[in-house]
Amino acid sequence: QVQLVESGGGLVQAGGSLRLSCAASGSIFSINVMGWYRQAPGKQRELVAAITSGGSRNYADSVKGRFTISRDNAKNTVYLQMNSLKPEDTAVYYCHAMATLSYSDNTRAYWGQGTQVTVSS
C-alpha cells in the first residue's frame, strides 16, 4: 500500500500564498504521476496540477501563472506553491499518485486524506 500525507493547508487572505506538501510512503516501486486535486463544497473534484516523474507538468486553466507544482523524486514528495490566492481557490486539496508496488504490479491510484485551504476576501 501507499500512504500519502499532506500538509500545509490553512487560512490565508486573498492575494496571499500557501505551500502544500505531500509525502508518499510504503512499499513503493515507482510513482509515475503525482498531483493535486481540489473539491469545493457542492462541486466535483477537479484536477489542479500534476507532474510526471520526468518533470512534465499540467495545470488547470484557473491556476496557470499562479500555482507551481514541483517534485522531489528521491523523497517521493510533491509540492504545490500557491500564490495570488483567490477566494474561489477555497477547497479541500487532495494529493494523488499513480504508483506501482512491484515490477509486475499494475499502476494504481492513491489519494491523501485532504487538507483544507481557505482564502478569505
Side-chain angles (χ1 to χ4, degrees), residues 31-85:
I31 302 179
N32 182 9
V33 181
M34 296 189 80
W36 294 91
Y37 286 70
R38 67 186 181 187
Q39 188 167 19
K43 295 187 176 182
Q44 289 188 332
R45 190 174 296 189
E46 63 175 0
L47 174 68
V48 177
I51 184 169
T52 69
S53 57
S56 296
R57 295 168 171 85
N58 183 38
Y59 295 97
D61 288 342
S62 60
V63 307
K64 284 181 181 177
R66 300 188 298 121
F67 291 10
T68 302
I69 190 169
S70 61
R71 176 173 173 173
D72 186 333
N73 289 330
K75 295 181 178 180
N76 286 332
T77 300
V78 64
Y79 307 94
L80 186 68
Q81 178 65 44
M82 304 185 293
N83 298 328
S84 302
L85 282 160

Short mmCIF file of all heavy atoms in Angstrom, two decimals, residues 31-85:
data_model
loop_
_atom_site.label_atom_id
_atom_site.label_comp_id
_atom_site.label_asym_id
_atom_site.label_seq_id
_atom_site.Cartn_x
_atom_site.Cartn_y
_atom_site.Cartn_z
N ILE A 31 6.61 5.72 -8.80
CA ILE A 31 5.47 6.63 -8.88
C ILE A 31 5.58 7.37 -10.20
O ILE A 31 6.56 8.08 -10.43
CB ILE A 31 5.44 7.63 -7.72
CG1 ILE A 31 5.38 6.91 -6.38
CG2 ILE A 31 4.24 8.56 -7.86
CD1 ILE A 31 5.38 7.83 -5.18
N ASN A 32 4.60 7.22 -11.05
CA ASN A 32 4.63 7.87 -12.34
C ASN A 32 4.18 9.32 -12.19
O ASN A 32 4.97 10.25 -12.31
CB ASN A 32 3.75 7.13 -13.34
CG ASN A 32 3.81 7.76 -14.72
OD1 ASN A 32 4.63 8.64 -14.98
ND2 ASN A 32 2.97 7.32 -15.62
N VAL A 33 2.93 9.52 -11.90
CA VAL A 33 2.36 10.86 -11.81
C VAL A 33 2.00 11.17 -10.37
O VAL A 33 1.46 10.32 -9.66
CB VAL A 33 1.10 10.99 -12.68
CG1 VAL A 33 0.53 12.41 -12.61
CG2 VAL A 33 1.41 10.62 -14.13
N MET A 34 2.31 12.38 -9.95
CA MET A 34 1.83 12.90 -8.67
C MET A 34 1.11 14.22 -8.95
O MET A 34 1.49 14.94 -9.88
CB MET A 34 2.96 13.13 -7.68
CG MET A 34 3.68 11.86 -7.28
SD MET A 34 4.84 12.11 -5.91
CE MET A 34 3.70 12.10 -4.51
N GLY A 35 0.11 14.50 -8.17
CA GLY A 35 -0.61 15.73 -8.44
C GLY A 35 -1.53 16.14 -7.31
O GLY A 35 -1.56 15.52 -6.25
N TRP A 36 -2.25 17.21 -7.59
CA TRP A 36 -3.19 17.78 -6.62
C TRP A 36 -4.55 17.97 -7.30
O TRP A 36 -4.63 18.47 -8.42
CB TRP A 36 -2.68 19.12 -6.11
CG TRP A 36 -1.43 19.03 -5.31
CD1 TRP A 36 -0.15 19.12 -5.77
CD2 TRP A 36 -1.34 18.79 -3.91
NE1 TRP A 36 0.72 18.95 -4.74
CE2 TRP A 36 0.02 18.75 -3.58
CE3 TRP A 36 -2.29 18.62 -2.90
CZ2 TRP A 36 0.48 18.54 -2.29
CZ3 TRP A 36 -1.84 18.42 -1.60
CH2 TRP A 36 -0.48 18.38 -1.30
N TYR A 37 -5.57 17.56 -6.58
CA TYR A 37 -6.95 17.82 -6.96
C TYR A 37 -7.58 18.66 -5.85
O TYR A 37 -7.05 18.74 -4.75
CB TYR A 37 -7.74 16.52 -7.10
CG TYR A 37 -7.42 15.72 -8.34
CD1 TYR A 37 -6.20 15.07 -8.50
CD2 TYR A 37 -8.37 15.59 -9.37
CE1 TYR A 37 -5.92 14.34 -9.65
CE2 TYR A 37 -8.09 14.85 -10.52
CZ TYR A 37 -6.87 14.23 -10.64
OH TYR A 37 -6.59 13.49 -11.77
N ARG A 38 -8.70 19.28 -6.15
CA ARG A 38 -9.42 20.02 -5.12
C ARG A 38 -10.92 19.83 -5.29
O ARG A 38 -11.41 19.58 -6.38
CB ARG A 38 -9.07 21.50 -5.14
CG ARG A 38 -9.53 22.26 -6.37
CD ARG A 38 -8.98 23.68 -6.34
NE ARG A 38 -9.41 24.46 -7.50
CZ ARG A 38 -8.96 25.68 -7.78
NH1 ARG A 38 -8.04 26.25 -7.00
NH2 ARG A 38 -9.41 26.32 -8.84
N GLN A 39 -11.61 19.98 -4.18
CA GLN A 39 -13.06 19.86 -4.19
C GLN A 39 -13.66 20.91 -3.28
O GLN A 39 -13.41 20.91 -2.07
CB GLN A 39 -13.51 18.46 -3.75
CG GLN A 39 -14.99 18.22 -3.92
CD GLN A 39 -15.36 16.76 -3.79
OE1 GLN A 39 -14.61 15.95 -3.23
NE2 GLN A 39 -16.50 16.39 -4.31
N ALA A 40 -14.41 21.80 -3.89
CA ALA A 40 -15.12 22.83 -3.13
C ALA A 40 -16.52 22.31 -2.79
O ALA A 40 -17.03 21.40 -3.46
CB ALA A 40 -15.22 24.10 -3.96
N PRO A 41 -17.14 22.87 -1.76
CA PRO A 41 -18.48 22.41 -1.37
C PRO A 41 -19.46 22.48 -2.52
O PRO A 41 -19.56 23.50 -3.20
CB PRO A 41 -18.86 23.38 -0.25
CG PRO A 41 -17.57 23.83 0.31
CD PRO A 41 -16.62 23.90 -0.84
N GLY A 42 -20.16 21.38 -2.76
CA GLY A 42 -21.16 21.34 -3.81
C GLY A 42 -20.62 21.19 -5.21
O GLY A 42 -21.38 21.23 -6.18
N LYS A 43 -19.31 21.01 -5.33
CA LYS A 43 -18.70 20.89 -6.65
C LYS A 43 -17.97 19.56 -6.78
O LYS A 43 -17.64 18.91 -5.79
CB LYS A 43 -17.74 22.05 -6.91
CG LYS A 43 -18.43 23.40 -6.99
CD LYS A 43 -17.45 24.47 -7.42
CE LYS A 43 -18.15 25.82 -7.60
NZ LYS A 43 -17.19 26.87 -8.06
N GLN A 44 -17.69 19.19 -8.02
CA GLN A 44 -16.95 17.96 -8.27
C GLN A 44 -15.45 18.17 -8.01
O GLN A 44 -14.95 19.30 -8.10
CB GLN A 44 -17.17 17.50 -9.72
CG GLN A 44 -18.56 16.97 -9.99
CD GLN A 44 -18.67 16.37 -11.38
OE1 GLN A 44 -17.96 16.75 -12.31
NE2 GLN A 44 -19.56 15.40 -11.54
N ARG A 45 -14.78 17.09 -7.71
CA ARG A 45 -13.34 17.15 -7.55
C ARG A 45 -12.72 17.44 -8.92
O ARG A 45 -13.11 16.86 -9.92
CB ARG A 45 -12.81 15.84 -6.99
CG ARG A 45 -11.37 15.88 -6.56
CD ARG A 45 -10.95 14.59 -5.87
NE ARG A 45 -11.70 14.37 -4.63
CZ ARG A 45 -11.40 13.40 -3.76
NH1 ARG A 45 -10.37 12.60 -3.99
NH2 ARG A 45 -12.12 13.26 -2.66
N GLU A 46 -11.75 18.35 -8.93
CA GLU A 46 -11.12 18.74 -10.17
C GLU A 46 -9.60 18.71 -10.05
O GLU A 46 -9.05 18.94 -8.97
CB GLU A 46 -11.57 20.16 -10.58
CG GLU A 46 -11.18 21.25 -9.61
CD GLU A 46 -11.52 22.65 -10.10
OE1 GLU A 46 -12.08 22.79 -11.21
OE2 GLU A 46 -11.23 23.61 -9.36
N LEU A 47 -8.96 18.47 -11.19
CA LEU A 47 -7.51 18.48 -11.23
C LEU A 47 -7.01 19.91 -11.10
O LEU A 47 -7.50 20.81 -11.78
CB LEU A 47 -7.01 17.88 -12.54
CG LEU A 47 -5.50 17.97 -12.78
CD1 LEU A 47 -4.74 17.09 -11.82
CD2 LEU A 47 -5.18 17.60 -14.23
N VAL A 48 -6.02 20.11 -10.24
CA VAL A 48 -5.36 21.41 -10.11
C VAL A 48 -4.05 21.40 -10.88
O VAL A 48 -3.80 22.28 -11.71
CB VAL A 48 -5.11 21.74 -8.63
CG1 VAL A 48 -4.35 23.06 -8.51
CG2 VAL A 48 -6.42 21.79 -7.85
N ALA A 49 -3.21 20.42 -10.59
CA ALA A 49 -1.91 20.34 -11.25
C ALA A 49 -1.37 18.93 -11.09
O ALA A 49 -1.68 18.24 -10.11
CB ALA A 49 -0.92 21.34 -10.67
N ALA A 50 -0.56 18.51 -12.05
CA ALA A 50 0.05 17.19 -12.00
C ALA A 50 1.45 17.28 -12.58
O ALA A 50 1.74 18.15 -13.41
CB ALA A 50 -0.79 16.17 -12.75
N ILE A 51 2.31 16.34 -12.15
CA ILE A 51 3.68 16.31 -12.64
C ILE A 51 4.13 14.86 -12.76
O ILE A 51 3.86 14.03 -11.88
CB ILE A 51 4.61 17.11 -11.69
CG1 ILE A 51 6.03 17.16 -12.24
CG2 ILE A 51 4.57 16.57 -10.27
CD1 ILE A 51 6.93 18.15 -11.50
N THR A 52 4.78 14.54 -13.86
CA THR A 52 5.28 13.19 -14.06
C THR A 52 6.66 13.03 -13.43
O THR A 52 7.29 14.01 -13.03
CB THR A 52 5.38 12.86 -15.55
OG1 THR A 52 6.43 13.66 -16.13
CG2 THR A 52 4.07 13.15 -16.28
N SER A 53 7.13 11.80 -13.38
CA SER A 53 8.47 11.55 -12.83
C SER A 53 9.55 12.22 -13.67
O SER A 53 10.63 12.53 -13.17
CB SER A 53 8.73 10.05 -12.73
OG SER A 53 8.57 9.44 -14.01
N GLY A 54 9.25 12.47 -14.93
CA GLY A 54 10.20 13.15 -15.80
C GLY A 54 10.12 14.66 -15.74
O GLY A 54 10.93 15.35 -16.38
N GLY A 55 9.14 15.19 -15.01
CA GLY A 55 9.04 16.62 -14.82
C GLY A 55 8.04 17.33 -15.70
O GLY A 55 7.92 18.57 -15.65
N SER A 56 7.28 16.62 -16.51
CA SER A 56 6.24 17.25 -17.31
C SER A 56 5.10 17.69 -16.41
O SER A 56 4.65 16.92 -15.56
CB SER A 56 5.73 16.28 -18.38
OG SER A 56 6.76 15.97 -19.29
N ARG A 57 4.63 18.91 -16.63
CA ARG A 57 3.61 19.50 -15.76
C ARG A 57 2.33 19.81 -16.53
O ARG A 57 2.38 20.12 -17.72
CB ARG A 57 4.13 20.79 -15.13
CG ARG A 57 5.31 20.61 -14.19
CD ARG A 57 5.94 21.94 -13.84
NE ARG A 57 6.93 21.83 -12.79
CZ ARG A 57 8.20 21.51 -13.00
NH1 ARG A 57 8.62 21.24 -14.23
NH2 ARG A 57 9.05 21.43 -11.97
N ASN A 58 1.23 19.73 -15.80
CA ASN A 58 -0.07 20.06 -16.36
C ASN A 58 -0.84 20.84 -15.31
O ASN A 58 -0.84 20.47 -14.13
CB ASN A 58 -0.84 18.77 -16.72
CG ASN A 58 -2.16 19.05 -17.38
OD1 ASN A 58 -2.29 19.98 -18.16
ND2 ASN A 58 -3.17 18.26 -17.05
N TYR A 59 -1.48 21.95 -15.74
CA TYR A 59 -2.20 22.81 -14.81
C TYR A 59 -3.63 23.06 -15.29
O TYR A 59 -3.88 23.14 -16.50
CB TYR A 59 -1.52 24.18 -14.68
CG TYR A 59 -0.16 24.16 -14.06
CD1 TYR A 59 0.99 24.16 -14.84
CD2 TYR A 59 -0.01 24.19 -12.67
CE1 TYR A 59 2.25 24.15 -14.27
CE2 TYR A 59 1.25 24.19 -12.09
CZ TYR A 59 2.37 24.17 -12.89
OH TYR A 59 3.61 24.17 -12.31
N ALA A 60 -4.53 23.22 -14.35
CA ALA A 60 -5.86 23.71 -14.69
C ALA A 60 -5.73 25.15 -15.16
O ALA A 60 -4.89 25.91 -14.65
CB ALA A 60 -6.78 23.63 -13.47
N ASP A 61 -6.57 25.55 -16.11
CA ASP A 61 -6.50 26.91 -16.63
C ASP A 61 -6.67 27.94 -15.52
O ASP A 61 -6.07 29.02 -15.55
CB ASP A 61 -7.59 27.12 -17.69
CG ASP A 61 -7.27 26.38 -18.99
OD1 ASP A 61 -6.09 26.01 -19.20
OD2 ASP A 61 -8.19 26.17 -19.79
N SER A 62 -7.48 27.62 -14.53
CA SER A 62 -7.79 28.58 -13.48
C SER A 62 -6.61 28.90 -12.57
O SER A 62 -6.65 29.89 -11.82
CB SER A 62 -8.96 28.07 -12.64
OG SER A 62 -8.63 26.83 -12.04
N VAL A 63 -5.57 28.08 -12.60
CA VAL A 63 -4.42 28.30 -11.70
C VAL A 63 -3.12 28.61 -12.45
O VAL A 63 -2.11 28.89 -11.81
CB VAL A 63 -4.20 27.10 -10.75
CG1 VAL A 63 -5.49 26.76 -10.01
CG2 VAL A 63 -3.67 25.89 -11.50
N LYS A 64 -3.16 28.55 -13.77
CA LYS A 64 -1.95 28.82 -14.55
C LYS A 64 -1.41 30.21 -14.25
O LYS A 64 -2.16 31.19 -14.20
CB LYS A 64 -2.25 28.68 -16.04
CG LYS A 64 -2.37 27.26 -16.52
CD LYS A 64 -2.65 27.18 -18.02
CE LYS A 64 -2.78 25.75 -18.49
NZ LYS A 64 -3.13 25.66 -19.92
N GLY A 65 -0.11 30.29 -14.02
CA GLY A 65 0.52 31.56 -13.71
C GLY A 65 0.50 31.91 -12.23
O GLY A 65 1.18 32.84 -11.80
N ARG A 66 -0.28 31.16 -11.45
CA ARG A 66 -0.35 31.44 -10.00
C ARG A 66 0.19 30.28 -9.16
O ARG A 66 0.78 30.49 -8.11
CB ARG A 66 -1.80 31.71 -9.59
CG ARG A 66 -2.44 32.90 -10.28
CD ARG A 66 -3.80 33.23 -9.70
NE ARG A 66 -4.76 32.15 -9.85
CZ ARG A 66 -5.39 31.54 -8.84
NH1 ARG A 66 -5.15 31.92 -7.60
NH2 ARG A 66 -6.26 30.58 -9.08
N PHE A 67 -0.05 29.06 -9.62
CA PHE A 67 0.38 27.87 -8.88
C PHE A 67 1.55 27.21 -9.60
O PHE A 67 1.62 27.22 -10.83
CB PHE A 67 -0.76 26.85 -8.79
CG PHE A 67 -1.91 27.25 -7.91
CD1 PHE A 67 -2.04 28.54 -7.40
CD2 PHE A 67 -2.90 26.32 -7.60
CE1 PHE A 67 -3.11 28.90 -6.61
CE2 PHE A 67 -3.98 26.66 -6.81
CZ PHE A 67 -4.08 27.96 -6.31
N THR A 68 2.44 26.62 -8.82
CA THR A 68 3.57 25.88 -9.37
C THR A 68 3.68 24.54 -8.67
O THR A 68 3.75 24.48 -7.44
CB THR A 68 4.88 26.66 -9.21
OG1 THR A 68 4.77 27.93 -9.85
CG2 THR A 68 6.03 25.87 -9.83
N ILE A 69 3.71 23.47 -9.46
CA ILE A 69 3.89 22.14 -8.90
C ILE A 69 5.34 21.72 -9.10
O ILE A 69 5.95 22.00 -10.13
CB ILE A 69 2.91 21.13 -9.53
CG1 ILE A 69 2.92 19.81 -8.77
CG2 ILE A 69 3.20 20.91 -11.02
CD1 ILE A 69 1.80 18.86 -9.16
N SER A 70 5.88 21.05 -8.08
CA SER A 70 7.24 20.53 -8.18
C SER A 70 7.31 19.20 -7.45
O SER A 70 6.38 18.83 -6.72
CB SER A 70 8.24 21.53 -7.60
OG SER A 70 7.98 21.78 -6.23
N ARG A 71 8.43 18.53 -7.65
CA ARG A 71 8.50 17.17 -7.12
C ARG A 71 9.95 16.82 -6.79
O ARG A 71 10.86 17.19 -7.51
CB ARG A 71 7.95 16.22 -8.18
CG ARG A 71 8.01 14.75 -7.91
CD ARG A 71 7.26 14.01 -9.00
NE ARG A 71 7.42 12.59 -8.87
CZ ARG A 71 6.77 11.69 -9.60
NH1 ARG A 71 5.91 12.09 -10.52
NH2 ARG A 71 6.99 10.40 -9.42
N ASP A 72 10.11 16.09 -5.68
CA ASP A 72 11.40 15.54 -5.29
C ASP A 72 11.27 14.02 -5.41
O ASP A 72 10.71 13.37 -4.52
CB ASP A 72 11.75 15.96 -3.87
CG ASP A 72 13.15 15.53 -3.46
OD1 ASP A 72 13.64 14.52 -4.00
OD2 ASP A 72 13.73 16.17 -2.59
N ASN A 73 11.77 13.47 -6.50
CA ASN A 73 11.61 12.02 -6.73
C ASN A 73 12.32 11.19 -5.67
O ASN A 73 11.85 10.12 -5.29
CB ASN A 73 12.13 11.66 -8.12
CG ASN A 73 11.24 12.18 -9.23
OD1 ASN A 73 10.03 12.31 -9.06
ND2 ASN A 73 11.83 12.48 -10.37
N ALA A 74 13.45 11.66 -5.19
CA ALA A 74 14.20 10.91 -4.18
C ALA A 74 13.42 10.79 -2.87
O ALA A 74 13.57 9.81 -2.14
CB ALA A 74 15.55 11.58 -3.92
N LYS A 75 12.57 11.78 -2.60
CA LYS A 75 11.78 11.78 -1.36
C LYS A 75 10.34 11.38 -1.60
O LYS A 75 9.53 11.38 -0.67
CB LYS A 75 11.82 13.17 -0.73
CG LYS A 75 13.21 13.60 -0.27
CD LYS A 75 13.15 14.98 0.39
CE LYS A 75 14.52 15.42 0.89
NZ LYS A 75 14.47 16.77 1.52
N ASN A 76 9.99 11.06 -2.84
CA ASN A 76 8.59 10.74 -3.18
C ASN A 76 7.64 11.81 -2.65
O ASN A 76 6.60 11.51 -2.06
CB ASN A 76 8.19 9.36 -2.63
CG ASN A 76 8.81 8.22 -3.41
OD1 ASN A 76 9.10 8.35 -4.60
ND2 ASN A 76 9.03 7.10 -2.75
N THR A 77 8.01 13.03 -2.87
CA THR A 77 7.25 14.16 -2.34
C THR A 77 6.89 15.13 -3.46
O THR A 77 7.73 15.40 -4.33
CB THR A 77 8.05 14.90 -1.25
OG1 THR A 77 8.32 13.98 -0.17
CG2 THR A 77 7.27 16.08 -0.70
N VAL A 78 5.68 15.64 -3.40
CA VAL A 78 5.22 16.63 -4.36
C VAL A 78 4.80 17.87 -3.61
O VAL A 78 4.29 17.80 -2.48
CB VAL A 78 4.07 16.08 -5.23
CG1 VAL A 78 2.82 15.78 -4.39
CG2 VAL A 78 3.73 17.01 -6.37
N TYR A 79 5.03 19.02 -4.24
CA TYR A 79 4.72 20.30 -3.63
C TYR A 79 3.80 21.10 -4.54
O TYR A 79 3.85 20.96 -5.77
CB TYR A 79 6.00 21.11 -3.39
CG TYR A 79 7.06 20.37 -2.62
CD1 TYR A 79 8.07 19.67 -3.29
CD2 TYR A 79 7.06 20.34 -1.24
CE1 TYR A 79 9.04 18.97 -2.60
CE2 TYR A 79 8.04 19.66 -0.53
CZ TYR A 79 9.02 18.97 -1.22
OH TYR A 79 9.98 18.29 -0.52
N LEU A 80 3.02 21.97 -3.92
CA LEU A 80 2.20 22.91 -4.70
C LEU A 80 2.36 24.29 -4.08
O LEU A 80 1.88 24.53 -2.96
CB LEU A 80 0.73 22.49 -4.70
CG LEU A 80 -0.17 23.33 -5.59
CD1 LEU A 80 0.17 23.11 -7.08
CD2 LEU A 80 -1.65 23.02 -5.35
N GLN A 81 3.06 25.15 -4.79
CA GLN A 81 3.21 26.53 -4.35
C GLN A 81 2.05 27.33 -4.94
O GLN A 81 1.89 27.39 -6.16
CB GLN A 81 4.54 27.10 -4.83
CG GLN A 81 4.76 28.56 -4.47
CD GLN A 81 4.88 28.77 -2.96
OE1 GLN A 81 5.55 28.01 -2.28
NE2 GLN A 81 4.22 29.81 -2.46
N MET A 82 1.27 27.93 -4.06
CA MET A 82 0.08 28.65 -4.48
C MET A 82 0.25 30.13 -4.14
O MET A 82 0.36 30.49 -2.96
CB MET A 82 -1.17 28.09 -3.77
CG MET A 82 -1.35 26.60 -3.99
SD MET A 82 -2.88 25.96 -3.28
CE MET A 82 -2.55 26.18 -1.54
N ASN A 83 0.32 30.94 -5.15
CA ASN A 83 0.47 32.39 -5.00
C ASN A 83 -0.77 33.10 -5.51
O ASN A 83 -1.58 32.53 -6.25
CB ASN A 83 1.70 32.88 -5.75
CG ASN A 83 2.99 32.27 -5.26
OD1 ASN A 83 3.14 31.97 -4.07
ND2 ASN A 83 3.94 32.09 -6.16
N SER A 84 -0.91 34.36 -5.12
CA SER A 84 -2.04 35.18 -5.57
C SER A 84 -3.36 34.45 -5.37
O SER A 84 -4.20 34.39 -6.28
CB SER A 84 -1.86 35.57 -7.04
OG SER A 84 -0.66 36.28 -7.24
N LEU A 85 -3.53 33.90 -4.19
CA LEU A 85 -4.72 33.10 -3.93
C LEU A 85 -5.99 33.94 -3.98
O LEU A 85 -5.99 35.12 -3.59
CB LEU A 85 -4.59 32.40 -2.58
CG LEU A 85 -3.68 31.17 -2.59
CD1 LEU A 85 -3.20 30.83 -1.20
CD2 LEU A 85 -4.40 29.99 -3.22
#
